[in-house]
Amino acid sequence: MKAHRFLVVAIVFLATIITIIINGCEFDVAEPLWEKDYDLPSSPVITGIEPSEGAVPGVNKIVIRGENFIGISSDHSVYFEIPDLTTVLADLVEVTQTSITVRRPNLVTQSAMIKINSDSAGLVVKYGPYKIDKVVEEYGSFLENLELRSVTVD
């Protein structure tokens, strides 16, 4: 009789423990991403560049005007490209919803293509050709190692 009582108590105890475990545990998991609709962000659009005539000597910053620029600078990369020659990554100064300000690239060309790569939109926006003039001009030939002197009169 004791064995029978012990068996009944053990079965009731195990059933109670299993019921507590099953009902007491919650299964909290993040909702799967593949079931959510993806909202494609608006594509950036370039409407103009300042200065519009090109980066002449004395211009240190170039402002790219447009739409749908997100105000996070780490989301954008701006490149100045000379087709089939070189591509230079520009230093970002400021990014707002309607403009991106970059430092003048170390580049001289009559036909640079400006490209904006937006990570959130997943596409590259192009604008060009854009002219970038020389800042420094060579003057004379100093091959003779002559000592340079000057006099200034006011």
Side-chain angles (χ1 to χ4, degrees):
M1 191 69 150
K2 271 188 165 180
H4 179 63
R5 258 187 175 167
F6 178 73
L7 185 61
V8 170
V9 170
I11 290 173
V12 170
F13 180 72
L14 286 173
T16 305
I17 296 295
I18 290 172
T19 305
I20 289 172
I21 290 173
I22 290 173
N23 291 332
C25 292
E26 291 184 22
F27 190 69
D28 289 333
V29 182
E31 190 175 328
L33 294 177
W34 57 83
E35 292 182 5
K36 290 184 180 178
D37 290 334
Y38 178 71
D39 295 329
L40 188 63
S42 301
S43 299
V45 176
I46 299 175
T47 57
I49 306 287
E50 293 176 13
S52 60
E53 68 276 354
V56 295
V59 172
N60 293 326
K61 293 179 183 173
I62 299 171
V63 180
I64 303 167
R65 300 278 179 202
E67 300 172 359
N68 303 326
F69 298 138
I70 299 170
I72 303 171
S73 60
S74 63
D75 188 49
H76 295 289
S77 299
V78 178
Y79 298 94
F80 286 82
E81 177 185 50
I82 301 174
D84 300 328
L85 287 179
T86 188
T87 301
V88 176
L89 176 64
D91 294 329
L92 295 176
V93 175
E94 182 183 17
V95 178
T96 66
Q97 185 68 24
T98 58
S99 69
I100 297 176
T101 304
V102 297
R103 294 192 200 289
R104 174 197 184 102
N106 188 12
L107 197 62
V108 176
T109 182
Q110 297 295 317
S111 60
M113 184 65 68
I114 299 174
K115 294 183 178 183
I116 300 175
N117 181 15
S118 176
D119 294 337
S120 64
L123 80 126
V124 176
V125 181
K126 299 178 184 179
Y127 183 90
Y130 190 71
K131 180 180 167 186
I132 302 174
D133 289 337
K134 284 197 269 187
V135 176
V136 178
E137 187 79 34
E138 286 187 32
Y139 180 75
S141 173
F142 298 107
L143 297 177
E144 300 171 5
N145 289 329
L146 297 174
E147 200 173 310
L148 297 177
R149 296 186 182 144
S150 66
V151 176
T152 305
V153 179
D154 188 24

